[in-house]
C-alpha cells in the first residue's frame, strides 16, 4: 500500500489513534498524496504543502469538529480536506459537482466557516468565541491566518476588538512570507526580523505589535518540525485570553520546484510531478494579457499613470509593468479598501491611477469607490478582471455583480468590451476620460480579435450595430456578443454591441424600440439590476411598451465548474440563447412578420 498510514485516516479521530512518534510519517504521506493528487487535476498547491504539519498538529490536539478551527483564504485547505473525510474525493476539487475549491460549511462539519477571500478568520473566530463564552461552552476556537491574509485591514480590526473583549481564543499566524506574490510592506519586514531571530534588546521587539493589541505572543516556531509544533500548541491550548502563536512555514514545502518557484506553484494546472509544470506551451493571450500590454503602453505615453494592485500582480497581468515602471507600481498587499482610496489620493494630486482588481475583490472596497472616488469625481480608472462567471474557483470568486453595483453610482463610466481589441480601446477611453471609469472583462481569452497597437479610444456612450435584421434586436453587453452573433445570424435579428452600460446609448435603444417588435438584452452579470435593467428603466421612463427579454446570470450563487459549463447552465451560450429566444418568440422560427403582440 502506497499510503499505509493515510489510508487509515477517514477522520481526525483516526488520526488521534496513530502514535505521536509516527506523525512525521503521516506528514510525509500526506505531502506525497497532495502532490500526486494536485498534479493529476490541478488546483491550489504551494500553500497546502506549507501547512501539512500544522494541519496534522491541529487535528491531533484539538477535538474537531467540536473545537472550532477557522482557516483563512482557503488556499491552505487541501490537507484539511484530506484529513477530514474527503481524501478519496480530493481529485474532484474545482470540478462540476466535485469538492469546493475552498472551505465550505455545507460541505463538511469540519469546515466551520466558509472562505475564499482573505483576512476573515480572526473576525469569524472571535464571533464564535464570544458566542460560546456567553453560553458557558468551553470548546476551543482557533483562527489560522496566513498566505498574506494578515495584511488585510479586517484582520487588524479583529485583533483590536479581540484584545478588548479578551475571549479565550488562539490565532495561529502561518508566516510563509508570501501571498500569491511576495509579501510587501512594513509588517512583512517586522515578521522577517522575527523569522530571522533578529529581535534584540537594542530595538523594540517586533512581537510587541501583537502584545499591545492584547494578545499573548508565542514563537516563532518551526512549522515543519512536528514535535516542536505540537509542544508549542500544547503550551497555548489551555491558556486564558487571546493568544497568538507565530509559526514559520515554507510555501511549497517538500516539493523542490514549488519551493524554488513559489509564485508559479501557487496554483497550477495538471503537471508531471517528476518534471514539474510545463513551460512555454504557447498559452493563448487572455484579457489580463491585453490589460498588461495596454498599461505598459499607456504608461510610456503618459507619465501621470500609476498602477495599483491589491496583491494580484500575476493574476491581473502586471508583472511586466512592475519591472518596467517600478516607481509607478504599487502592490498594497491584500488591502482592497486601501488600494482604492490610495488611488483617490494620487488623483487629488494630478496623477492618473489605474486600479487593477478582480470583480469579486472590488466588492470589498465598494464604499471607497462611492465615498472616496465617485463622490469627489476623481480621475481613477478601474480595470476589473474576472468579471462574470469565473469557473472552477466557485461562488466566492464569481464576478457576477459588478454591473449591478457599479451602474447605480453617479459620475462613474461603466464599460464592457466584446473582444480583445475593444478591451484595449475601452481602457484607453476610460483612462482619458476626466473622471472615474470602470472597464470590466472576463477571465481567460476572447474571440481572438487582432489587437491594434494604437492607443485609440471610442466615443463615450455610443453602441455599435453589428448587423441589421428584422423583428427582434439583440442588445449584447460584453462577452455575450459572440454567442449572440451566432443566433442573430440564424434568426435574422438585429445585433448591437452595446459597449457602454453607463452611459447607455439611449438614442439607439429608443430607435430600436420604435423599429423592432421586441428587444433582448444579454449580459454575463446578474439579471437583477444589471445592464438589462438599465434598458428596462429607460423604456419605462419613456413610456414605451415593448416585449423585453433580459438574459443574464440567475439569482443564485453559481457553483464551481468550467466557465463554459456555467455559461451553458445560465443559458448564455449560443444554444441557450437560441432556445430561450425561440421559446419566448416562437414566431422567429416561422418567419412571422410581427412580434408586437408577443408578451
Amino acid at each position: 500500500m502506497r499510503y499505509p498510514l493515510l489510508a487509515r485516516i477517514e477522520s481526525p479521530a483516526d488520526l488521534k489513534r496513530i502514535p505521536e512518534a509516527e506523525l512525521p510519517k503521516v506528514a510525509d504521506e500526506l505531502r506525497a498524496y497532495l502532490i500526486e493528487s494536485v498534479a493529476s487535476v490541478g488546483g491550489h498547491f504551494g500553500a497546502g504543502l506549507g501547512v501539512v504539519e500544522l494541519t496534522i498538529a491541529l487535528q491531533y490536539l484539538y477535538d474537531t469538529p467540536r473545537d472550532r478551527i477557522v482557516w483563512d483564504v482557503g488556499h491552505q485547505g487541501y490537507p484539511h480536506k484530506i484529513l477530514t473525510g474527503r481524501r478519496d474525493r480530493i481529485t474532484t476539487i474545482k470540478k462540476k459537482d466535485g469538492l469546493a475549491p475552498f472551505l465550505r460549511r455545507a460541505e463538511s462539519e469540519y469546515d466551520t466557516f466558509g472562505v475564499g477571500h482573505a483576512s476573515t478568520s480572526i473576525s469569524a473566530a472571535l464571533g464564535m468565541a464570544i458566542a460560546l463564552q456567553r453560553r458557558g461552552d468551553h470548546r476551543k476556537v482557533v483562527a489560522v491566518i496566513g498566505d498574506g491574509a494578515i495584511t488585510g485591514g479586517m484582520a487588524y480590526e479583529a485583533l483590536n476588538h479581540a484584545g478588548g473583549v479578551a475571549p479565550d481564543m488562539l490565532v495561529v499566524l502561518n508566516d510563509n512570507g508570501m501571498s500569491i506574490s511576495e509579501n510587501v510592506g512594513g509588517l512583512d519586514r517586522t515578521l522577517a526580523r522575527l523569522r530571522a531571530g533578529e529581535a534584540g534588546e537594542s530595538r523594540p521587539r517586533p512581537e510587541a505589535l501583537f502584545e499591545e493589541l492584547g494578545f499573548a505572543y508565542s514563537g516563532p516556531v518551526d512549522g515543519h518540525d512536528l514535535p516542536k509544533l505540537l509542544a508549542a500548541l500544547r503550551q497555548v491550548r489551555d491558556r486564558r485570553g487571546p493568544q497568538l502563536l507565530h509559526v514559520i512555514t515554507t510555501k511549497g514545502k517538500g516539493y523542490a520546484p514549488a519551493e524554488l518557484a513559489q509564485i508559479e506553484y501557487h496554483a497550477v494546472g495538471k503537471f508531471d510531478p517528476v518534471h514539474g509544470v510545463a513551460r512555454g506551451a504557447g498559452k493563448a493571450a487572455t484579457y489580463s494579457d491585453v490589460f498588461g500590454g495596454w498599461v505598459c503602453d499607456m504608461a510610456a505615453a503618459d507619465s501621470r499613470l500609476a498602477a495599483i494592485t491589491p496583491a494580484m500582480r500575476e493574476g491581473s497581468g502586471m508583472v511586466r509593468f512592475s519591472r518596467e515602471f517600478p516607481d509607478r507600481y504599487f502592490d498594497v498587499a491584500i488591502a482592497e479598501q486601501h488600494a482604492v482610496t490610495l488611488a483617490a489620493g494620487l488623483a487629488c494630486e494630478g496623477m492618473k491611477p489605474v486600479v487593477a482588481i478582480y470583480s469579486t475583490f472590488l466588492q470589498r472596497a465598494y464604499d471607497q469607490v462611492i465615498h472616496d472616488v465617485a463622490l469627489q469625481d476623481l480621475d481613477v480608472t478601474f480595470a476589473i478582471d474576472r468579471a462574470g462567471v469565473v469557473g472552477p474557483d466557485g461562488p466566492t470568486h464569481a464576478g457576477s455583480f459588478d454591473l449591478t453595483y457599479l451602474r447605480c453610482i453617479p459620475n462613474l463610466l461603466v464599460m464592457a468590451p466584446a473582444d480583445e481589441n475593444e478591451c484595449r480601446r475601452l481602457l484607453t477611453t476610460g483612462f482619458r476620460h476626466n473622471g472615474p471609469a470602470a472597464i470590466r472583462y472576463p477571465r481567460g481569452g476572447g474571440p481572438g480579435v487582432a489587437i491594434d497597437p494604437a492607443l485609440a479610444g471610442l466615443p463615450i456612450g455610443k453602441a455599435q450595430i453589428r448587423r441589421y435584421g428584422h423583428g427582434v434586436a439583440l442588445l449584447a453587453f460584453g462577452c455575450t456578443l459572440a454567442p449572440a452573433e451566432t443566433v442573430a445570424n440564424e434568426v435574422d435579428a438585429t445585433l448591437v454591441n452595446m459597449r457602454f452600460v453607463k452611459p447607455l446609448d439611449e438614442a439607439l435603444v429608443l430607435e430600436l424600440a420604435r423599429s423592432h417588435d421586441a428587444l433582448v438584452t444579454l449580459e454575463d452579470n446578474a439579471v437583477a439590476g444589471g445592464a438589462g435593467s438599465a434598458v428596462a428603466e429607460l423604456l419605462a421612463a419613456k413610456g414605451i411598451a415593448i416585449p423585453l427579454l433580459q438574459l443574464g446570470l440567475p439569482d443564485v450563487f453559481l457553483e464551481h465548474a468550467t466557465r463554459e459549463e456555467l455559461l451553458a447552465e445560465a443559458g448564455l451560450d449560443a444554444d441557450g440563447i437560441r432556445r430561450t429566444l425561440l421559446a419566448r418568440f416562437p414566431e422567429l422560427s416561422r418567419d412571422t412578420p410581427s412580434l408586437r403582440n408577443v408578451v
Side-chain angles (χ1 to χ4, degrees):
M1 184 178 295
R2 297 183 59 191
Y3 305 105
L5 292 174
L6 192 62
R8 292 159 48 187
I9 302 173
E10 300 294 339
S11 72
D14 297 324
L15 176 66
K16 290 175 172 62
R17 296 188 185 99
I18 296 175
E20 189 169 320
E22 293 191 48
L23 291 183
K25 295 180 181 178
V26 175
D28 290 341
E29 291 188 16
L30 177 54
R31 184 167 275 114
Y33 184 75
L34 183 63
I35 293 169
E36 178 185 329
S37 301
V38 176
S40 69
V41 296
H44 287 102
F45 189 50
L49 289 174
V51 295
V52 166
E53 288 82 5
L54 178 58
T55 307
I56 291 171
L58 288 169
Q59 294 294 351
Y60 196 76
L61 292 181
Y62 285 86
D63 180 19
T64 59
R66 185 178 185 277
D67 290 339
R68 307 305 198 197
I69 298 177
V70 183
W71 291 87
D72 217 305
V73 183
H75 302 150
Q76 311 169 92
Y78 287 29
H80 165 84
K81 286 177 183 268
I82 291 170
L83 293 179
T84 54
R86 290 164 279 183
R87 180 194 61 226
D88 297 338
R89 297 182 61 213
I90 199 68
T91 54
T92 70
I93 204 160
K94 291 194 171 191
K95 296 180 180 178
K96 184 175 174 58
D97 301 323
L99 292 180
F102 305 108
L103 276 63
R104 185 176 185 182
R105 282 171 57 85
E107 185 176 284
S108 170
E109 62 181 338
Y110 294 93
D111 294 2
T112 58
F113 195 75
V115 66
H117 293 183
S119 314
T120 61
S121 61
I122 304 176
S123 295
L126 175 59
M128 293 175 187
I130 292 171
L132 292 170
Q133 194 167 294
R134 283 177 61 86
R135 65 173 187 249
D137 192 326
H138 299 294
R139 68 186 72 191
K140 310 295 184 183
V141 180
V142 180
V144 184
I145 188 165
D147 215 33
I150 194 66
T151 64
M154 189 175 175
Y156 297 97
E157 295 173 24
L159 288 168
N160 178 64
H161 185 207
V165 177
D168 298 334
M169 66 178 289
L170 170 65
V171 172
V172 176
L173 172 55
N174 168 33
D175 178 10
N176 60 15
M178 295 290 293
S179 181
I180 294 177
S181 304
E182 303 89 352
N183 279 345
V184 297
L187 176 66
D188 184 63
R189 289 195 297 272
T190 296
L191 295 177
R193 291 200 297 270
L194 283 168
R195 288 195 297 268
E198 295 177 6
E201 296 302 322
S202 63
R203 74 177 79 189
R205 294 166 59 82
E207 58 265 40
L209 167 67
F210 301 110
E211 292 175 350
E212 290 298 323
L213 287 170
F215 278 76
Y217 174 92
S218 301
V221 61
D222 183 349
H224 302 300
D225 186 327
L226 259 172
K228 289 183 179 178
L229 186 56
L230 288 164
L233 283 168
R234 283 192 172 103
Q235 287 180 357
V236 299
R237 182 178 54 180
D238 297 318
R239 288 179 182 170
R240 304 299 302 272
Q243 306 291 318
L244 187 140
L245 177 62
H246 186 184
V247 177
I248 308 298
T249 63
T250 299
K251 195 166 184 175
K253 179 68 175 180
Y255 185 65
E259 290 190 43
L260 293 171
Q262 294 178 334
I263 297 173
E264 183 178 5
Y265 281 87
H266 170 77
V268 293
K270 295 180 183 180
F271 67 95
D272 181 341
V274 176
H275 300 99
V277 173
R279 294 178 173 84
K283 181 175 73 76
T286 65
Y287 280 100
S288 302
D289 297 329
V290 172
F291 167 75
W294 171 85
V295 73
C296 289
D297 293 346
M298 186 57 79
D302 192 328
S303 62
R304 297 173 298 168
L305 186 150
I308 302 168
T309 177
M312 298 302 296
R313 179 182 65 191
E314 283 73 24
S316 293
M318 295 185 67
V319 172
R320 179 185 154 202
F321 184 92
S322 69
R323 294 170 179 166
E324 295 184 7
F325 302 94
D327 60 327
R328 290 191 268 162
Y329 169 73
F330 301 96
D331 183 341
V332 301
I334 299 175
E336 294 87 358
Q337 293 172 303
H338 168 58
V340 173
T341 305
L342 173 68
L346 291 170
C348 285
E349 299 302 328
M351 295 191 75
K352 288 181 70 68
V354 176
V355 180
I357 191 167
Y358 287 11
S359 172
T360 185
F361 297 142
L362 186 59
Q363 294 166 185
R364 312 186 85 194
Y366 189 53
D367 179 61
Q368 286 68 34
V369 174
I370 296 173
H371 182 271
D372 298 338
V373 176
L375 181 61
Q376 303 184 94
D377 200 21
L378 292 174
D379 196 0
V380 176
T381 302
F382 296 96
I384 305 173
D385 205 332
R386 269 64 164 182
V389 299
V390 296
D393 283 340
T396 61
H397 283 53
S400 307
F401 313 108
D402 53 76
L403 294 185
T404 298
Y405 70 70
L406 290 176
R407 77 172 191 87
C408 63
I409 302 175
N411 295 335
L412 185 61
L413 181 65
V414 183
M415 296 164 278
D419 57 50
E420 300 91 334
N421 190 53
E422 192 165 272
C423 183
R424 182 177 171 94
R425 296 191 70 181
L426 289 179
L427 284 164
T428 298
T429 304
F431 182 78
R432 289 180 175 162
H433 170 66
N434 185 25
I439 305 92
R440 56 100 74 175
Y441 42 90
R443 180 179 188 173
V449 174
I451 296 176
D452 182 349
L455 291 169
L458 289 166
I460 290 177
K462 296 299 181 183
Q464 173 197 39
I465 297 179
R466 296 291 287 259
R467 81 179 301 275
Y468 286 97
H470 301 86
V472 172
L474 307 183
L475 314 183
F477 293 86
C479 68
T480 60
L481 181 72
E485 187 166 27
T486 298
V487 178
N489 290 332
E490 293 173 356
V491 301
D492 191 26
T494 294
L495 176 66
V496 182
N497 175 17
M498 292 299 295
R499 289 177 172 163
F500 293 86
V501 178
K502 185 174 187 176
L504 199 66
D505 191 337
E506 295 187 357
L508 179 59
V509 172
L510 296 175
E511 177 188 330
L512 294 171
R514 288 190 293 268
S515 59
H516 290 74
D517 299 315
L519 301 181
V520 179
T521 62
L522 306 99
E523 59 189 303
D524 61 333
N525 183 84
V527 169
S533 294
V535 174
E537 291 161 12
L538 171 63
L539 296 174
K542 299 297 183 179
I544 297 175
I546 183 175
L548 174 64
L549 175 61
Q550 295 169 237
L551 302 183
L553 302 179
D555 189 24
V556 297
F557 289 107
L558 299 175
E559 296 299 332
H560 51 280
T562 67
R563 190 165 182 275
E564 293 72 24
E565 286 172 331
L566 290 175
L567 288 171
E569 188 177 298
L572 290 176
D573 61 349
D575 288 342
I577 294 169
R578 182 189 306 107
R579 184 170 56 251
T580 305
L581 197 63
L582 294 179
R584 177 68 182 273
F585 306 121
E587 288 80 358
L588 285 173
S589 62
R590 298 197 295 270
D591 198 27
T592 301
S594 179
L595 300 170
R596 274 287 179 184
N597 296 322
V598 177
V599 293

